[in-house]
Amino acid sequence: MLVIPFLIISVVVYKLSGRNELLRFTAFVAACKDLDIIQKLKLFFYESLIGSMTLIILSVTGLYGRLYANAWDDAGSIRYVFGFGDANAFHCMFMMLVFLGLYLYHDKMKWYMFLILAISDIILWIATRSEAAAAITMIGIGGVALFSLSDLKKYISLYLPGFFIYAFCIWFSIYSAVNSMRMPNDFIVKMNNLLSGRIINLYWDSNAHSGSIETWHLFSGRDTIDVYFDMGWVRLFYWYGIIPAIFVIAGIILLYAICIAKRDAVMMVILISLALYTLVEAHIISVYIGRNFILLFFGYYLLNSEKN
């Protein structure tokens, strides 16, 4: 029954905007009914890992894909992309693989394994200079290590900040879209500088001011096709519309609540980390379904809660 409202919204979005991502995502989640999702998560993890390693090897050997790309600065520096086309996309894929691996195997990991992951993240940050993905990956590794190597996950009070962080991400995204044209106070000016101009670019980076609050609608139209910008939560509202975005946000809130009920601290850390990442970057809000294993968790928790 939980899938039906999302299916209806997805069909409306497709009819009005031509975007089929929500329809594909909903079908993907619905397909998780009565499956052994943990087994599928492991399959997802190893298939993604093998595919990613193949791209890296092909780019390093020069057989296929770019190894690096020029950075957008005056120093003529480079950022390694390892066959992924974009340094941020590569580090995002690393982050998603780390998070999924942590979820599947955190209970078998020793402290030094978390340290190895953290060092790997730092090394990749030097190569990619992808600050957001590197920082969020480090937060996720640290949070999972904290809960896995202690008994803290039984304390419900430690889960509650996740709601406030998630709420802040949504609020700040809306606030940024509202104030992207004029920057009315020092707070948003400082945040815009911290986010490398992402807020002001919502208004001034295109003639249509794509992403600013005046371009949001209850349901988006076909003018959102082929429009891309950073700040993922803003993209969610712009690409699909206010009503579909509210449904997605409500679904994630339900997922948070189930994590608290089940004392699933690792999933909570991953959700918080991805909420923060999506505040800055938009790789999760994408036409590409391949890296978004959170959809499997929707199926695991919402459709198979009694079974699991």
Side-chain angles (χ1 to χ4, degrees), residues 174-185 188 199-200 213:
I174 297 171
Y175 183 75
S176 298
V178 170
N179 295 286
S180 59
M181 182 175 70
R182 290 193 175 89
M183 302 278 136
N185 54 61
I188 197 166
I199 298 174
I200 198 170
I213 195 67

Side-chain angles (χ1 to χ4, degrees), residues 58-73:
L58 289 174
S59 66
V60 170
T61 57
L63 294 176
Y64 184 80
R66 293 188 301 172
L67 176 60
Y68 58 85
N70 293 327
W72 293 98
D73 58 27

Side-chain angles (χ1 to χ4, degrees), residues 148-167:
S148 298
L149 301 176
S150 69
D151 295 325
L152 292 176
K153 66 180 181 180
K154 64 183 180 182
Y155 298 106
I156 192 170
S157 60
L158 296 179
Y159 293 77
L160 298 180
F163 276 107
F164 294 104
I165 294 172
Y166 180 60

Side-chain angles (χ1 to χ4, degrees), residues 3-177:
V3 174
I4 294 177
F6 286 95
L7 181 60
I8 294 172
I9 290 293
S10 300
V11 171
V12 174
V13 169
Y14 175 66
K15 290 294 185 181
L16 294 178
S17 69
R19 307 198 72 97
N20 66 5
E21 297 94 76
L22 291 185
L23 199 57
R24 289 189 290 118
F25 294 165
T26 303
F28 189 88
V29 171
C32 295
K33 179 66 175 176
D34 296 327
L35 294 179
D36 183 348
I37 300 301
I38 294 299
Q39 181 185 30
K40 299 304 179 185
L41 284 169
K42 290 181 179 180
L43 179 63
F44 188 98
F45 174 73
Y46 286 109
E47 285 181 343
S48 300
L49 180 61
I50 292 171
S52 298
M53 290 303 300
T54 301
L55 285 177
I56 293 171
I57 292 171
L58 289 174
S59 66
V60 170
T61 57
L63 294 176
Y64 184 80
R66 293 188 301 172
L67 176 60
Y68 58 85
N70 293 327
W72 293 98
D73 58 27
D74 296 329
S77 55
I78 61 174
R79 301 175 68 185
Y80 285 89
V81 303
F82 295 105
F84 283 77
D86 179 79
N88 291 335
F90 169 70
H91 212 129
C92 175
M93 192 66 194
F94 171 77
M95 176 184 71
M96 298 300 283
L97 285 171
V98 167
F99 286 169
L100 181 53
L102 286 173
Y103 187 85
L104 292 171
Y105 300 111
H106 67 276
D107 55 340
K108 300 177 182 178
M109 294 177 64
K110 306 297 183 182
W111 67 267
Y112 58 85
M113 297 178 181
F114 293 102
L115 181 60
I116 291 172
L117 286 178
I119 293 173
S120 300
D121 184 44
I122 293 172
I123 293 173
L124 287 184
W125 168 68
I126 294 173
T128 64
R129 293 169 55 198
S130 182
E131 288 86 0
I136 297 303
T137 303
M138 192 66 70
I139 290 173
I141 294 170
V144 173
L146 180 64
F147 282 106
S148 298
L149 301 176
S150 69
D151 295 325
L152 292 176
K153 66 180 181 180
K154 64 183 180 182
Y155 298 106
I156 192 170
S157 60
L158 296 179
Y159 293 77
L160 298 180
F163 276 107
F164 294 104
I165 294 172
Y166 180 60
F168 170 80
C169 291
I170 304 303
W171 169 81
F172 183 76
S173 296
I174 297 171
Y175 183 75
S176 298

